[in-house]
Amino acid sequence: MPSSVLMVALALGVFLMLRAWRRGKRPGQARFACGLTVTSLVVLYLASTPLVARWVAESLERQNPPVDPSTMPVADAIVVLGGSMYATVGPDGTTLLYARHASDRFETAMQAFNAARAPIIAFGGGGTGVPGTPTEGEWNRARAIARGAPADRAIAGPVALYTSDESEGIARVLRERGVKRMILCSSAMHLPRACMNYEKLGFEVTPLPSDFATRGAAEDWSWALLIPRGMALSQVDAGVKEWMGLLGPVR
């Protein structure tokens, strides 16, 4: 990821500069060390600004602009990718399950399901890492049933760690039900790579974006966009990972 690569490059540049200084070399004689340090600092700064983070996110999100879930074309199933379930354990041992970050995936997919866009809704995801808790697919299936989804039409996919094995596991379950066309719901930044995975598995995919990281046409300019933030660097990392997945083998 950019953050780790840049920090390693920065550390290497500083190390080489210190070694050159200890050997009595002037800055002009340590051009590579100085260049690596300065370049790493500049690029790390840029990658930490909301301006660049927004640009990276928009490069992915513009591929699937916002849509009304109730107007989606009819499909055989709605697939909801995991990534929002978390668990925390209190001092008394009580476990609390909750959704954050990508929780809009569930809400957006339920809107499509309640609008009768597909007769089946399937949930993917992994575990929380807390013993005794359900998988995200099982948890979201229970939440969907509590909202009125028929139990025989709500599916929990096998536990997964990555987008690749999540898609393979859900694909096996859906093929048993004769599903060929799906509405795929995920975060807008993640959706291009996710759609590519399911299309490679032979499904006809209609993307349903949710959880947008940008405001689209409502974005405006502000000098605050040039102030570095940790969240911006994290978003750049996430966006670069998605592009790497589109261009090469990323799980």
Side-chain angles (χ1 to χ4, degrees):
M1 292 295 100
S3 58
S4 54
V5 171
L6 290 171
M7 285 186 279
V8 168
L10 178 59
L12 178 61
V14 171
F15 169 76
L16 293 175
M17 285 181 63
L18 289 174
R19 189 174 70 168
W21 174 72
R22 290 186 65 182
R23 293 181 176 181
K25 293 184 178 181
R26 297 188 299 274
Q29 296 174 308
R31 293 187 181 88
F32 175 77
C34 292
L36 181 62
T37 302
V38 172
T39 301
S40 299
L41 275 173
V42 171
V43 178
L44 184 60
Y45 159 72
L46 291 173
S48 300
T49 61
L51 181 65
V52 172
R54 187 175 77 180
W55 177 80
V56 172
E58 285 179 335
S59 70
L60 292 158
E61 293 186 344
R62 73 166 63 102
Q63 299 180 42
N64 295 292
V67 296
D68 182 350
S70 64
T71 63
M72 298 295 290
V74 174
D76 301 323
I78 299 171
V79 176
V80 191
L81 301 189
S84 66
M85 180 183 175
Y86 285 79
T88 185
V89 181
D92 61 352
T94 302
T95 301
L96 173 66
L97 299 178
Y98 60 99
R100 65 176 186 177
H101 298 322
S103 58
D104 187 47
R105 299 177 183 183
F106 176 85
E107 299 297 337
T108 302
M110 286 302 297
Q111 290 181 49
F113 184 75
N114 291 332
R117 298 298 89 192
I120 296 172
I121 185 165
F123 300 96
T128 64
V130 177
T133 57
T135 66
E136 184 171 2
E138 293 168 344
W139 184 58
N140 277 330
R141 176 178 182 272
R143 294 170 68 202
I145 292 173
R147 293 199 186 185
D152 61 337
R153 296 186 182 183
I155 301 171
V159 64
L161 291 176
Y162 307 102
T163 300
S164 55
D165 59 340
E166 180 185 40
S167 58
E168 291 166 359
I170 292 178
R172 287 194 299 270
V173 175
L174 294 183
R175 287 193 187 104
E176 294 174 357
R177 298 199 175 210
V179 172
K180 296 181 179 178
R181 296 173 300 162
M182 67 167 63
I183 295 172
L184 183 61
C185 184
S186 187
S187 300
M189 277 183 62
H190 178 54
L191 204 48
R193 179 162 66 98
C195 286
M196 183 181 68
N197 276 9
Y198 282 92
E199 287 169 350
K200 286 182 177 179
L201 291 171
F203 292 94
E204 181 182 329
V205 181
T206 301
L208 176 56
S210 66
D211 186 37
F212 285 82
T214 67
R215 291 190 291 269
E219 294 284 9
D220 54 8
W221 162 258
S222 168
W223 287 106
L225 293 174
L226 298 178
I227 299 174
R229 298 181 61 187
M231 291 180 63
L233 183 58
S234 176
Q235 185 167 301
V236 170
D237 274 349
V240 170
K241 177 184 177 181
E242 295 304 325
W243 275 113
M244 289 171 62
L246 287 170
L247 300 174
V250 170
R251 306 176 100 181

